[in-house]
Amino acid sequence: MSLKLPYLKRVSTRINQPQLGFSLVELLIAMTIGIFAVGAALSVLSESEARKRSTGSVNNSNQAGAYAVYQLDQAIRSAGTGLGHESATSLNLPSGYGCFLNIAKSGNQIIPTAGLPAPFSSINSVRLAPVLIKQGATNQDGDIIVTMAGASGLAELPTKFGLSGSSTTTTLNLENNVNFKAADKVLLVGNSDTNCFVSQVESTFMASESSPQLALDGTYHADTIGGHNITDANAYTLNLGQTPHFNMFAVGENNTLVSYNIFDANNAAATTPNPSILVNNVVQMKALYGVEVAGAIQWRKPNGAYRFDKVQNNISKINAIKAIKLALVMKTDLQEKDRVSNNSIWLFNDTNRRTRFKITGTDRKFRHQLFEVTIPVRNNLLQP
């Protein structure tokens, strides 16, 4: 009996020792707290990621808007370069401003035409002017901006037709031809503002002081355009250079800002025009004329007395346009969970030509940004 007592005592001691670990209740409580903690962390992470995506989308929209404004700024500031208006008037020659443009490409008449691509299909003819605005049908419809500039790099002075010898459809008899080189596009201006013609210098042409004739041939040359003979233009010619910029800008399908250059080499044929996409997520573009009246700038919408067809054939109105006020409305490409935009945006709020652009439906779940800028028409600033 004495041998068993120590053994029993040892067993009893083990049984009475405290147990290590967690009870079931404690584990359940810990798991519940852990789930709430993980959920809170995921919620913060999700909100942070959403904020990050929204910020990134806004930054992308800012960069796209800045690029779009830059492209339009370049075109509008340079508008009128190489068109020779000031030089022509100082030489007592008829200004080319307001003349009816006739342009053919590969034997096909492209201006005037009814075949311009959307969103430019409402323009079927255009007259020579540095910058023009064609208003959209409503405030929700964007405007079309047209800019024109030469790029000769040699001379921007008018070259008068010779006093002796007549010109033909393939040879111009000029006072001199030293300002021209092979394949240059040229503008032929007549004694009246009715018609002017675009043609092209022959690819093998070499300037000569002794022989002032200018041979015409190439992609943009045609003997007649729209039933008009190019020899009807017999006042002077202007060198437009290799790549003149006769551009149109508008908002097209899928909220894309597109441009169309009449002389773009990518437009391989008159029947397959190819507008270029500049920027995505542009939902609206509107513009105002900055017109000089009694020494002060007044803002005019492109309607009424400043409607497209009433400006482009009026030289005094063309000269009075000193600036363009441009408004672009950008939309981010990220749809938010809740509405983040107001019902409308007011354009040109600092003028007496305020214009309302409405934001409806699911578009309110996208962030919208307004870009407004005033762009001087440099070549018109010195015009009376």
Side-chain angles (χ1 to χ4, degrees):
M1 295 295 292
S2 60
L3 293 173
K4 295 181 180 178
L5 287 175
Y7 175 76
L8 292 174
K9 186 176 182 181
R10 284 196 297 272
V11 172
S12 176
T13 301
R14 286 182 182 176
I15 292 173
N16 293 329
Q17 283 181 347
Q19 303 244 340
L20 300 176
F22 297 101
S23 67
L24 179 60
V25 174
E26 290 172 330
L27 286 172
L28 290 174
I29 292 173
M31 289 175 63
T32 302
I33 294 173
I35 289 171
F36 278 109
V38 171
L42 289 175
S43 177
V44 171
L45 183 63
S46 175
E47 187 175 343
S48 175
E49 185 63 25
R51 211 178 289 121
K52 178 182 176 183
R53 288 196 301 270
S54 180
T55 302
S57 182
V58 170
N59 289 339
N60 290 339
S61 180
N62 278 332
Q63 292 177 3
Y67 179 73
V69 169
Y70 170 78
Q71 291 291 328
L72 288 159
D73 180 273
Q74 291 290 100
I76 294 171
R77 281 179 185 269
S78 301
T81 299
L83 302 186
H85 170 73
E86 187 175 2
S87 301
T89 53
S90 65
L91 295 172
N92 294 318
L93 293 171
S95 171
Y97 282 6
C99 72
F100 196 80
L101 280 173
N102 293 272
I103 308 174
K105 185 176 185 180
S106 301
N108 299 306
Q109 178 180 321
I110 59 174
I111 295 291
T113 180
L116 287 179
F120 309 109
S121 52
S122 63
I123 295 179
N124 53 31
S125 65
V126 66
R127 293 175 179 265
L128 189 71
V131 59
L132 298 166
I133 306 169
K134 185 171 177 58
Q135 188 179 48
T138 69
N139 285 344
Q140 296 300 107
D141 298 319
D143 296 340
I144 299 173
I145 298 176
V146 181
T147 64
M148 303 181 198
S152 70
L154 290 177
E156 298 177 0
L157 293 173
T159 302
K160 292 190 288 185
F161 288 94
L163 300 179
S164 63
S166 60
S167 297
T168 69
T169 56
T170 57
T171 304
L172 301 182
N173 182 42
L174 304 178
E175 287 189 330
N176 68 78
N177 60 19
V178 295
N179 296 328
F180 301 89
K181 62 179 184 289
D184 278 342
K185 281 84 172 176
V186 292
L187 180 71
L188 283 63
V189 180
N191 285 309
S192 69
D193 63 358
T194 304
N195 286 288
C196 52
F197 302 83
V198 170
S199 186
Q200 191 166 18
V201 180
E202 190 179 52
S203 61
T204 58
F205 169 79
M206 294 288 290
S208 170
E209 293 184 7
S210 60
S211 177
Q213 292 183 329
L214 187 68
L216 303 178
D217 197 10
T219 304
Y220 289 93
H221 171 71
D223 294 349
T224 60
I225 305 174
H228 301 287
N229 192 297
I230 66 169
T231 57
D232 293 340
N234 58 2
Y236 62 87
T237 183
L238 284 167
N239 185 0
L240 298 178
Q242 301 282 311
T243 56
H245 304 287
F246 283 38
N247 290 310
M248 301 180 188
F249 301 90
V251 177
E253 294 181 350
N254 302 317
N255 297 330
T256 55
L257 178 65
V258 297
S259 69
Y260 177 75
N261 186 358
I262 295 173
F263 297 105
D264 192 338
N266 291 324
N267 298 331
T271 55
T272 57
N274 182 29
S276 301
I277 296 176
L278 294 178
V279 173
N280 293 318
N281 298 326
V282 182
V283 295
Q284 179 64 297
M285 182 177 73
K286 303 292 283 185
L288 300 176
Y289 287 120
V291 179
E292 184 177 21
V293 179
I297 296 296
Q298 297 182 3
W299 298 107
R300 296 284 188 266
K301 287 187 176 182
N303 58 16
Y306 283 87
R307 201 175 63 196
F308 185 78
D309 58 331
K310 291 188 176 182
V311 172
Q312 66 171 341
N313 64 352
N314 188 312
I315 294 179
S316 62
K317 285 183 179 179
I318 292 173
N319 287 337
I321 298 168
K322 307 300 182 182
I324 299 294
K325 184 176 278 292
L326 176 71
L328 289 177
V329 180
M330 307 289 297
K331 184 178 78 170
T332 59
D333 53 10
L334 177 67
Q335 183 173 344
E336 307 280 353
K337 191 170 49 173
D338 303 310
R339 290 183 180 178
V340 291
S341 288
N342 296 325
N343 295 343
S344 59
I345 295 178
W346 286 97
L347 317 180
F348 312 124
N349 216 20
D350 59 341
T351 73
N352 59 348
R353 306 295 174 182
R354 296 174 72 224
T355 302
R356 184 185 181 190
F357 177 68
K358 297 179 182 178
I359 303 174
T360 59
T362 57
D363 276 354
R364 296 176 190 169
K365 292 187 177 182
F366 294 85
R367 298 185 185 275
H368 290 73
Q369 296 169 278
L370 174 62
F371 291 79
E372 279 194 5
V373 62
T374 300
I375 305 171
V377 184
R378 291 186 302 184
N379 288 287
N380 266 11
L381 290 178
L382 298 179
Q383 300 299 330

